[in-house]
Amino acid sequence: MSPTIEGVMYTFHKSAPAKSVMFLVTYTDGRTAYLWSEGHSKGVDDLRVSLIAKEQQDQGLIPAGAIASIKRVR
């Protein structure tokens, strides 16, 4: 007896949107860098991006230097 697809229900699941957000970091000397924040939500977390940037500088993930601005890109 060969298997058939009768009686088998196929479901397709749309994947959940990614919770990562990308930011453009601009330094006072004109350099730029990008940083990503995983599990980021809008609003209050945007205010914490400068802290995230500082942590990533300390870890060497983005270049050290004086940050002029941080802008949400995606």
Side-chain angles (χ1 to χ4, degrees):
M1 184 182 232
S2 65
T4 64
I5 61 170
E6 291 177 6
V8 176
M9 185 172 161
Y10 291 97
T11 57
F12 297 94
H13 297 283
K14 187 175 181 180
S15 61
K19 297 286 184 182
S20 65
V21 178
M22 182 169 61
F23 293 91
L24 172 67
V25 179
T26 305
Y27 294 88
T28 55
D29 62 2
R31 294 179 297 151
T32 58
Y34 291 95
L35 70 87
W36 286 263
S37 175
E38 297 293 329
H40 189 91
S41 62
K42 264 189 163 176
V44 177
D45 284 347
D46 283 352
L47 300 174
R48 297 185 184 139
V49 174
S50 60
L51 297 175
I52 294 169
K54 179 63 178 156
E55 288 174 4
Q56 288 195 6
Q57 280 183 321
D58 292 344
Q59 295 172 3
L61 299 174
I62 62 173
I67 296 174
S69 66
I70 301 174
K71 180 180 175 183
R72 186 181 186 132
V73 178
R74 177 189 71 104

